[in-house]
Amino acid sequence: MADRPSDGSDEELLVQADRTTHAPKVSHQVMTKQERAALRDAQRLQEQAADRQAAQRAGGPVGRWWRRLQSGSDKVSLAMAIVALGVVYGDIGTSPLYTMQTFLAGQGGVAHADATAVIGMLSLVFWTMTLITTIEYVLICMRVDNKGEGGIFALYSLLRKYGAWLIVPAMVGGAAFLADSVLTPAMSISSAVEGLETLPALQGVFDANPNLTVMIALVIILAVFAVQSRGTERIGKVFGSTVLVWFLFIAVTGAVSMAGNPEVLRALNPAYGIEFLVSGDNHAGLALMGTVFLSITGAEALYSDMGHVGRGSIYVTWPFINLALVLSYFGQGAWIIRTLENPAFVRAGGAPNPFFAMMSPQVRTMAVVLSVVAGVIASQALISGAFTIVSEATRLNWMPHLQVRYPARTRGQLYIPTVNCVLCAATVTVLLVFGSSERIAAAYGLALTVTMVMTSILVTVYLWHVRSKVAAVVFAVVFPTIMVLFFVASMAKFLHGGWFTLLLTLAILTVMATWDEGTRLERAQRRHMQPDECLPVLRRLHEDASVPMYAENIVYLTSDQDMKRIDTDVFFSIFADHPKRARAWWIVSVQTTDAPFTREYQVEDYGTDYLFRVRISLGFKVSQSIPAYLHQIMHDLLREGRLPQQHTRYPKVDADPEIGPIRYVLIHKELMPESKVSQRGAMALRIKYAIRHVAGSPVKWFGLAPYNPVTEVQPLFLATVRPPRLKQVE
């Protein structure tokens, strides 16, 4: 079939097929426009770094630190600082919308919140933001990165060599973060939209349509998830200027309100906060710390999104963000103190929202509009962090391989369609089930306290092994202890909605734990053959003309990285049922590197011209265009004389007349009923295969969907229980 020469009409058909299909081909260029721009940026940074080395000795410690920062990969620019505002600070930026209102509700309304309570609450908020967000996360955690990437999984990747037990806090923390990523969009957007109800002109409309708030929030949530495919760089530039206006707005309105009651500045003394927490005037008890925690819910997202915008951008923007938040909280506290003398609020006994109430009706309209936009930004911060977390979990083999897109040029930007759809569906479910931000608040924040506790544990381990044991002890005494206190306080929300968060966390944790366990069992089962054990029978099949040709080229996609031996799964697939005779068998594995734009491959032919072992190394920003890359490899081997000439007589989809038809094969494993495996292991494998069935096979990840690949199922050859012999009867 492949050796018969083609006539002119055949050649014309092949050329026409090439014009018709426009199948993707590998370019002659070794770098894309994006990569060339990144290379120029890197060269420019190196030149600037050389110029700055001479000035490193001058300017004092701060000047030297700033020059080092500007000469590295975390160089600060105005554009990236604006992107950081739009991507990173959304969650923590919306906390003033509900923190002080939740405080008033916990105290039983304005009638039960005196000036001492307000000063105490403000003191707890200020020092919690200082200790946890500024010191722990910005100054300590952000110095612990994995090639610029932040988050609990990046932290675990640095530390897993120090103990197998570290997988527990990493998995638990990552699962809790993903659970919180579901609640944050619902909480932030619904609380902002509910501000519309405070506008006098719209009160009649909302009274007549009680579900209107939920409907508006639902539309906004769907729109946020719909634009994720455009990339967080584009979204960040749009949101960045808006969030700058938002923080300026809350800073100015807070400062204006605080000017009438400067006594709230006493809250800078931590003694007032501690005294109020343990006093009888605190009607919420220890649960008050759960309310205080709402003021720092965006700290973990800030750490996880570090890879999206760079550490330097967060360093230069956080002081402004911190000041704006403090002014807003203190302004709300000043309004509450003034309101203590207002008989209308005292008689009502309710918990008005101080954020909107402290403004005049004219200013309040602008506040509602900006708060809705800020709620969208808060959702963006957690969604971006969720993409990063899932991508890192996939590299750790804790989740199935999902299709990943890189829609932006900025480092760390990614988009995972499956995760986006799941998050969208789950967020809509939360909104419809709970119905209001007040009810969502009962579940909000509990999962994130778990993530922060686990992050604190891992940072302690890092400091112990990498930095200083004294620093590790001091860190462990201060920060994990505070986070455990927050967790205990947040557990007061369990029966009021926290159960939903923990159930969601347990579901995600089950996915990661069982996928990891199932992968380890499969790898333990994997067996290899030496080339001299399998080459003779492969040569016999290759030369046996009595067996029909299955395909010119058979390509097996595998996760096995061994280049010197043959995976027995591939060997027995070739001979299963009916021998798969081919002119060439290809065993291909794909390795994702830490460098962004790697495109390399290695080939082992075992001294044959019909069996090739290929390992393709692709950067984490390079698309998985495996069919196009394989055609390039085959053409390279043809030019080198290592692959015999192949010619196609008839048109085919890939429109490559020099390469014969290719059949792609993926092998999936299934557990045998007789397998001798623990109940835990069997359950892990069954759940893994069920997840794979729902999430889809790696076909899209390899870019094989248009080529109709074959998926085979082979039994998982774990140790098996031998049944007794049968008894022959007449």
Side-chain angles (χ1 to χ4, degrees):
M1 178 180 76
D3 294 331
R4 184 176 140 188
S6 301
D7 56 23
S9 59
D10 290 339
E11 294 294 338
E12 183 179 354
L13 286 173
L14 292 177
V15 173
Q16 290 177 353
D18 187 25
R19 290 200 305 266
T20 303
T21 61
H22 296 291
K25 299 178 178 60
V26 174
S27 169
H28 292 291
Q29 299 178 345
V30 296
M31 289 190 296
T32 64
K33 180 180 179 181
Q34 172 185 355
E35 295 170 58
R36 287 194 295 271
L39 180 60
R40 286 195 300 268
D41 292 343
Q43 292 174 343
R44 185 163 54 251
L45 286 174
Q46 291 177 355
E47 294 172 357
Q48 293 172 351
D51 295 337
R52 290 190 182 98
Q53 278 185 344
Q56 282 282 347
R57 301 175 184 176
V62 176
R64 289 193 296 271
W65 169 81
W66 177 256
R67 291 187 181 94
R68 284 197 302 270
L69 182 66
Q70 286 292 80
S71 63
S73 60
D74 292 320
K75 178 187 176 182
V76 178
S77 66
L78 178 61
M80 281 310 300
I82 293 176
V83 171
L85 290 174
V87 172
V88 174
Y89 296 115
D91 192 9
I92 201 168
T94 55
S95 58
L97 290 172
Y98 44 78
T99 300
M100 295 304 291
Q101 182 185 25
T102 307
F103 158 70
L104 285 179
Q107 298 301 311
V110 175
H112 300 91
D114 56 14
T116 302
V118 174
I119 298 297
M121 174 64 180
L122 292 177
S123 180
L124 290 172
V125 168
F126 174 81
W127 285 103
T128 297
M129 290 176 59
T130 301
L131 287 173
I132 303 301
T133 309
T134 301
I135 297 179
E136 180 182 4
Y137 275 90
V138 175
L139 297 182
I140 298 177
C141 291
M142 288 183 59
R143 301 304 304 175
V144 185
D145 67 285
N146 186 4
K147 295 181 174 64
E149 296 292 336
I152 193 167
F153 286 167
L155 186 56
Y156 167 74
S157 298
L158 291 174
L159 301 176
R160 54 183 169 180
K161 60 185 177 183
Y162 297 118
W165 67 273
L166 294 173
I167 194 175
V168 176
M171 276 192 177
V172 172
F177 182 87
L178 288 174
D180 191 75
S181 300
V182 172
L183 291 172
T184 295
M187 176 66 182
S188 301
I189 294 177
S190 62
S191 63
V193 172
E194 287 166 6
L196 294 170
E197 300 175 0
T198 67
L199 301 179
L202 299 178
Q203 285 181 351
V205 177
F206 283 94
D207 290 341
N209 302 277
N211 296 324
L212 183 58
T213 302
V214 175
M215 293 297 101
I216 295 175
L218 181 62
V219 171
I220 294 174
I221 287 173
L222 292 175
V224 169
F225 283 101
V227 301
Q228 291 301 310
S229 61
R230 299 182 64 84
T232 51
E233 181 180 25
R234 298 178 182 178
I235 296 171
K237 288 180 178 177
V238 174
F239 286 169
S241 56
T242 305
V243 80
L244 176 61
V245 174
W246 165 254
F247 280 109
L248 287 172
F249 177 81
I250 66 174
V252 172
T253 53
V256 170
S257 178
M258 186 181 67
N261 294 82
E263 62 182 295
V264 295
L265 292 175
R266 289 187 297 155
L268 298 177
N269 185 348
Y272 287 103
I274 298 173
E275 181 181 353
F276 172 64
L277 180 63
V278 300
S279 71
D281 295 332
N282 175 19
H283 300 286
L286 184 61
L288 176 69
M289 295 304 293
T291 302
V292 173
F293 181 78
L294 294 177
S295 65
I296 60 167
T297 51
E300 186 69 30
L302 182 148
Y303 181 39
S304 297
D305 283 337
M306 179 176 67
H308 291 247
V309 298
R311 184 167 47 221
S313 300
I314 297 177
Y315 279 156
V316 298
T317 53
W318 171 246
F320 161 68
I321 301 298
N322 189 32
L323 177 61
L325 292 172
V326 170
L327 289 174
S328 181
Y329 285 123
F330 279 39
Q332 293 180 55
W335 177 87
I336 296 173
I337 292 176
R338 291 195 301 272
T339 306
L340 295 175
E341 302 174 359
N342 188 329
F345 285 106
V346 174
R347 283 196 302 269
N353 191 332
F355 179 82
F356 294 109
M358 70 178 179
M359 306 173 194
S360 64
Q362 296 80 7
V363 177
R364 193 181 305 162
T365 303
M366 182 183 297
V368 171
V369 174
L370 288 175
S371 65
V372 171
V373 178
V376 173
I377 296 168
S379 306
Q380 180 60 55
L382 268 294
I383 294 170
S384 300
F387 290 156
T388 302
I389 286 286
V390 171
S391 176
E392 291 170 347
T394 300
R395 294 185 199 177
L396 294 169
N397 281 311
W398 292 351
M399 283 190 175
H401 284 93
L402 302 172
Q403 185 181 23
V404 180
R405 299 176 187 171
Y406 299 94
R409 193 170 79 85
T410 307
R411 177 173 57 89
Q413 311 272 316
L414 53 88
Y415 166 68
I416 305 177
T418 302
V419 174
N420 192 59
C421 292
V422 172
L423 281 179
C424 181
T427 302
V428 169
T429 301
V430 168
L431 182 64
L432 296 178
V433 169
F434 287 90
S436 67
S437 62
E438 183 179 356
R439 297 180 62 189
I440 297 174
Y444 185 60
L446 179 58
L448 202 54
T449 59
V450 176
T451 303
M452 289 187 170
V453 169
M454 299 302 135
T455 299
S456 299
I457 292 173
L458 292 178
V459 171
T460 301
V461 174
Y462 173 84
L463 293 174
W464 179 270
H465 288 283
V466 180
R467 297 296 176 87
S468 166
K469 290 182 171 56
V470 175
V473 172
V474 173
F475 184 91
V477 169
V478 177
F479 297 106
T481 303
I482 295 176
M483 294 314 307
V484 169
L485 177 64
F486 280 128
F487 174 74
V488 173
S490 298
M491 284 301 293
K493 303 177 179 180
F494 183 80
L495 295 178
H496 301 282
W499 58 269
F500 180 87
T501 305
L502 291 185
L503 281 179
L504 192 58
T505 300
L506 288 175
I508 299 171
L509 181 61
T510 300
V511 170
M512 292 194 292
T514 53
W515 193 273
D516 176 65
E517 178 75 10
T519 301
R520 287 194 293 108
L521 285 172
E522 288 181 339
R523 288 180 175 177
Q525 170 272 339
R526 179 176 286 159
R527 298 292 182 267
H528 292 90
M529 303 176 67
Q530 296 295 337
D532 56 2
E533 296 174 331
C534 60
L535 285 180
V537 66
L538 287 173
R539 183 182 302 110
R540 184 187 310 166
L541 175 61
H542 179 258
E543 297 172 353
D544 190 351
S546 65
V547 178
M549 193 75 70
Y550 183 79
E552 295 282 312
N553 300 278
I554 303 177
V555 177
Y556 285 92
L557 280 303
T558 176
S559 60
D560 182 26
Q561 299 292 330
D562 195 324
M563 294 285 289
K564 298 300 181 183
R565 299 177 298 171
I566 310 300
D567 190 341
T568 56
D569 290 340
V570 174
F571 179 80
F572 287 109
S573 171
I574 294 175
F575 293 95
D577 300 329
H578 184 79
K580 298 181 179 66
R581 182 173 172 237
R583 295 194 178 275
W585 294 284
W586 306 80
I587 307 173
V588 180
S589 61
V590 180
Q591 180 183 33
T592 303
T593 67
D594 291 332
F597 301 118
T598 303
R599 287 190 184 87
E600 299 173 348
Y601 74 90
Q602 298 171 277
V603 177
E604 172 62 56
D605 59 15
Y606 307 103
T608 73
D609 61 359
Y610 54 83
L611 180 62
F612 299 92
R613 182 69 175 85
V614 180
R615 180 165 61 198
I616 302 175
S617 299
L618 299 177
F620 63 81
K621 280 193 175 183
V622 175
S623 62
Q624 307 286 124
S625 302
I626 303 305
Y629 290 131
L630 276 177
H631 274 264
Q632 179 213 323
I633 294 171
M634 292 177 180
H635 279 281
D636 290 347
L637 295 179
L638 280 171
R639 286 193 297 270
E640 296 171 7
R642 298 168 65 182
L643 179 67
Q645 292 293 323
Q646 299 183 359
H647 295 284
T648 302
R649 294 179 56 197
Y650 301 107
K652 53 194 179 77
V653 172
D654 58 45
D656 189 343
E658 297 182 6
I659 299 297
I662 301 175
R663 199 69 185 267
Y664 297 95
V665 180
L666 286 87
I667 300 175
H668 285 173
K669 309 294 286 186
E670 288 292 344
L671 187 65
M672 297 176 62
E674 301 84 3
S675 295
K676 188 177 180 180
V677 62
S678 66
Q679 291 185 351
R680 171 184 168 184
M683 181 62 67
L685 287 167
R686 292 191 182 98
I687 294 176
K688 175 179 179 177
Y689 298 149
I691 294 170
R692 185 180 65 195
H693 179 74
V694 173
S697 69
V699 168
K700 288 187 177 180
W701 189 76
F702 283 120
L704 300 179
Y707 297 94
N708 193 27
V710 176
T711 300
E712 292 186 352
V713 177
Q714 291 190 10
L716 190 64
F717 287 103
L718 295 167
T720 56
V721 178
R722 296 186 179 184
R725 292 175 58 85
L726 293 174
K727 178 180 179 181
Q728 184 179 10
V729 295
E730 295 296 333

